[in-house]
Amino acid sequence: MAIKSEGFVDIDLKTFETILARETLNCKEIHLFEAALSWAHAACTKMDIEPTSSNKRQLLGQALYLIRIPTMTLEEFANRVAQLGILTNQETIDIFLTFTAKNKPKLTFPVKARAGLKTQVCHRFASCAYRSNQWRYRGRCDSIQFSVDKRIFIVGFGLYGSSTGAADYDVKIELKRLGRVLAENSTKFFSDGSSNTFQVFFETPIQIEPECFYTASVVLDGTELSFFGQEGMSEVSVGTVTFQFQCSSESTNGTGVQGGQIPELIFYGPMGLSQQSSIISASASNNTINNNHTAAGGLSPGKENVVGKQAGNNSSNNGVPSTTTSSSSTSSAHGSGGLLLMGASSSNTHSDRSNVAPFGNGSDNDGASTASSNGVGIANWLQPTVAGVSAGQQQLLAGNSEPAE
């Protein structure tokens, strides 16, 4: 992760302050505090002075007040920050009182948590349904292939749950590219019996390169009958990102473009200008420290329109138009380091499950796919270069940088 990289301690103080001021950091404040200590220790070493608490504090200067210490947990503060001698005695007492007292003292540290990046959601179905004999699992894999036209970070999937009442599910989620597993996670979720989707997450976001096809897969174990999506779309736009979907040969449970599981892809990515403007104006007043430190406005989305093209060969006769519009943003504190997936991109063709009416997991038919090479697309939403930090790490610092424990 970027803030624990070797190059991070080599950045200059001004750059370090710029990073700490960002409203869009998806990082725990305790991790930023630890990064500040590492930076100060390295600075002491370069200056050939003893790395004492007082020297570290002096070198950090006003940068220390950009760390939102009051938003840590009481345990994080008491067991780590309060015992290192970086804060003055009065600062330590005041922060303890902030955690525990009814009348809280005025602090020089920001007391409002960072907004962070907002997750966005790509909805690929126009509607959902249930039947008396579908959707069943039996240990089979539901899978779909997708590509995007801009670099994003996938953080998880939205899934359908039980159609016969409340139920618990065990689920294994997986993301692949060209047969290589990029990330997987075994987790659980509770379905309340409604047609809502239920979000499951990877442990860390996965960087997705443009114009490359990736395979999203899930294997569920729980109540056999669940809701499933229908009237699927082969192309969906969320903000400034366009997703394309095609069937996966790994899907052995009936999921395809037109219907099935994995109704949502949850991701971090670039946003529309209207979203950026509203967040910048809303967050500009949240991070002023002693009237001379103002944090950069965070980029977090409001609500974006999702415009989708109805998938071909849709046999539904309910007259649903070929484009749909829905809300597609939700807030999330989830975030961590992302993988750097540079290299050859791929473009796939597919044959849909045209003999399934309109689709279903009662058949063993699988969609076939083949890959071919294309050029690598370069996303234009990376932050400016930060000395000593790689390009991929810059992007994590811009909003996807919560270190893994």
Side-chain angles (χ1 to χ4, degrees), residues 205-267:
I206 304 96
Q207 183 168 311
I208 303 299
E209 292 297 331
E211 313 305 334
C212 305
F213 270 93
Y214 295 80
T215 302
S217 301
V218 300
V219 177
L220 289 100
D221 182 18
T223 299
E224 279 287 285
L225 296 177
S226 80
F227 289 91
F228 56 88
Q230 60 184 9
E231 302 171 77
M233 294 169 282
S234 60
E235 184 174 300
V236 180
S237 293
V238 185
T240 63
V241 181
T242 298
F243 289 77
Q244 291 188 339
F245 295 96
Q246 64 180 32
C247 291
S248 168
S249 60
E250 297 184 23
S251 187
T252 58
N253 200 43
T255 288
V257 174
Q258 294 182 34
Q261 261 287 7
I262 320 180
E264 297 172 345
L265 300 181
I266 309 165
F267 69 100

Side-chain angles (χ1 to χ4, degrees), residues 266-399:
I266 309 165
F267 69 100
Y268 295 128
M271 297 160 294
L273 292 176
S274 60
Q275 292 175 312
Q276 297 180 18
S277 298
S278 63
I279 295 303
I280 289 173
S281 60
S283 64
S285 62
N286 292 337
N287 304 304
T288 300
I289 310 302
N290 295 334
N291 295 322
N292 57 27
H293 276 82
T294 302
L299 305 182
S300 55
K303 294 194 173 183
E304 283 287 350
N305 287 335
V306 180
V307 180
K309 294 183 179 178
Q310 193 80 16
N313 301 324
N314 192 333
S315 60
S316 173
N317 295 319
N318 57 8
V320 174
S322 61
T323 60
T324 62
T325 302
S326 63
S327 174
S328 63
S329 295
T330 181
S331 62
S332 171
H334 181 90
S336 189
L339 300 176
L340 302 180
L341 308 174
M342 307 303 292
S345 60
S346 64
S347 175
N348 296 19
T349 59
H350 73 280
S351 59
D352 208 342
R353 303 171 186 270
S354 56
N355 59 339
V356 182
F359 57 87
N361 59 1
S363 168
D364 290 329
N365 291 336
D366 296 316
S369 63
T370 58
S372 62
S373 296
N374 277 323
V376 176
I378 302 300
N380 59 4
W381 63 292
L382 293 175
Q383 296 292 326
T385 300
V386 177
V389 184
S390 71
Q393 291 167 346
Q394 293 169 37
Q395 186 162 355
L396 300 183
L397 289 171

